[in-house]
Amino acid sequence: MSTRTDTLIAPAVVDEAPDLYMGLIAAARAIAAQIVETDAIGLTGSAAYIHRASVDLIRVAPADAGGDDVSGMAVGECLRRLGAVWPEIAAGTMKGEQIFSSEPTLWSRLMTEWPMGDYAKLAARVMIDNHLLDGQAIELGAGVGSCSTLVADQVGDGYVRTDLRPALLKRQRIRGSVSRYDFNQPAPWRDVDTVFAVNALHCAADRHATLGYVRDMLRPGGMLVLGESAPYTDAHGTPWALNGLFGLFTGWWDIGGAVSREGWLSALRSAGFRSVGWTVRRAGTHDLGGLIWAQR
Ligand SMILES: C[S@@+](CC[C@H](N)C(=O)[O-])C[C@H]1O[C@@H](n2cnc3c(N)ncnc32)[C@H](O)[C@@H]1O
């Protein structure tokens, strides 16, 4: 096990009411039950991943998980969409990205509301509390800006929001600048104070290489902060409830999805980071991932 250091002022654990997450497991399980009715033989790519993820969830999650009703939330609507498009995904006649291309607002709500938006809230809170945004800060995979908007009042002119597809970022009026940057490549920035990424770095094709590029960006003592979910959330091996939903997207199913905390910590260490730390997001007995930080 890794040792958590006190480099940052941050809670070790943030507890949230378990009923909402239990409700999310129940909703995801109901869709998974529908998906596993399809024969797995012949499924490829995203469809094969989603089918496997559904089998995985059904194996451990009880049919009567109970919890709060999430059907009125963005995440509930997205799960319902997954169920509706599954026949076309399985047949290979539709790509997951198409579901949201006609409905950018739903995608934006998925990323900014519970549960995804809470990774951004936690990251923003810890970075603000620790004055990590006072100098030059680079955000990777800023996307719909779930974290960018929360830190907007605290950043300086040196703040750079980056993404593979920066068009969306340019629509948000936030101090600093926007740049197209692919984190699978070395970065042009050096001596940066803080690099952060919320629900983005798991998309890296080669995690070790990307963490090396991030290290090269930072000044000695500079900090990397990641907000990320977890592949399995409890001792029974219950998969992250949204593994199947995110299996619709390139950058998830083709890379392997969420990375365990230990996986991140060992990759950070081998990339030459020191003083690693984390905050656990916990819902009852479920560890939803949370924050991970590391200092150069
Ligand atoms: C799941 S979204 C998260 C977006 C945002 N951080 C949030 O929390 O709402 C992942 C983002 O990472 C970006 N991304 C994926 N692969 C990338 C890469 N190789 N380089 C830069 N950005 C990438 C995607 O374009 C997308 O905007």
Side-chain angles (χ1 to χ4, degrees):
M1 273 302 277
S2 299
T3 310
R4 183 181 185 274
T5 58
D6 293 329
T7 329
L8 294 187
I9 300 161
V13 178
V14 173
D15 274 304
E16 53 189 64
D19 286 354
L20 207 47
Y21 193 67
M22 293 315 289
L24 182 60
I25 292 180
R29 195 194 185 284
I31 300 299
Q34 181 188 324
I35 287 170
V36 299
E37 282 174 18
T38 305
D39 193 337
I41 294 169
L43 296 180
T44 56
S46 163
Y49 183 97
I50 293 168
H51 194 280
R52 262 196 318 276
S54 302
V55 170
D56 238 23
L57 184 62
I58 287 196
R59 194 170 41 82
V60 282
D64 55 351
D68 291 346
D69 179 9
V70 300
S71 62
M73 304 174 75
V75 71
E77 175 60 25
C78 289
L79 284 168
R80 209 164 33 246
R81 299 281 170 105
L82 167 62
V85 298
W86 168 248
E88 288 161 272
I89 299 287
T93 53
M94 184 188 247
K95 291 219 177 303
E97 282 80 2
Q98 287 173 260
I99 305 175
F100 294 98
S101 55
S102 58
E103 264 198 282
T105 314
L106 182 59
W107 173 252
S108 183
R109 285 186 55 211
L110 175 67
M111 297 316 296
T112 49
E113 296 177 12
W114 183 91
M116 301 313 297
D118 289 49
Y119 296 96
K121 285 183 194 152
L122 189 54
R125 185 176 119 203
V126 167
M127 288 193 293
I128 292 167
D129 286 353
N130 288 276
H131 301 282
L132 295 185
L133 303 165
D134 295 354
Q136 186 177 23
I138 311 266
E139 180 174 3
L140 308 179
V144 299
S146 64
C147 196
S148 325
T149 50
L150 298 175
V151 300
D153 289 343
Q154 307 288 329
V155 294
D157 291 332
Y159 175 42
V160 187
R161 288 177 290 140
T162 75
D163 202 281
L164 204 50
R165 287 176 283 274
L168 191 64
L169 282 57
K170 289 182 179 155
R171 284 191 228 146
Q172 290 170 321
R173 294 199 165 276
I174 292 176
R175 199 166 171 191
S177 55
V178 167
S179 185
R180 183 191 179 279
Y181 168 58
D182 174 357
F183 51 61
N184 292 321
Q185 303 295 326
W189 303 280
R190 290 293 179 270
D191 290 321
V192 170
D193 298 289
T194 301
V195 174
F196 68 97
V198 177
N199 291 311
L201 237 55
H202 59 258
C203 299
D206 177 342
R207 194 177 317 136
H208 294 84
T210 291
L211 291 176
Y213 304 146
V214 172
R215 186 182 177 279
D216 291 344
M217 272 188 245
L218 289 165
R219 65 167 170 76
M223 199 66 85
L224 168 64
V225 177
L226 299 179
E228 287 283 346
S229 59
Y232 297 96
T233 58
D234 67 3
H236 304 293
T238 305
W240 162 235
L242 298 183
N243 193 26
L245 176 66
F246 286 126
L248 287 167
F249 304 104
T250 311
W252 188 274
W253 70 264
D254 54 331
I255 306 285
V259 175
S260 69
R261 186 172 297 114
E262 276 306 318
W264 281 116
L265 296 173
S266 94
L268 284 161
R269 288 219 177 78
S270 62
F273 284 89
R274 59 191 174 89
S275 304
V276 293
W278 59 89
T279 294
V280 175
R281 234 186 108 180
R282 191 168 62 189
T285 56
H286 293 276
D287 173 347
L288 309 185
L291 284 195
I292 291 168
W293 60 84
Q295 192 167 33
R296 174 172 176 173

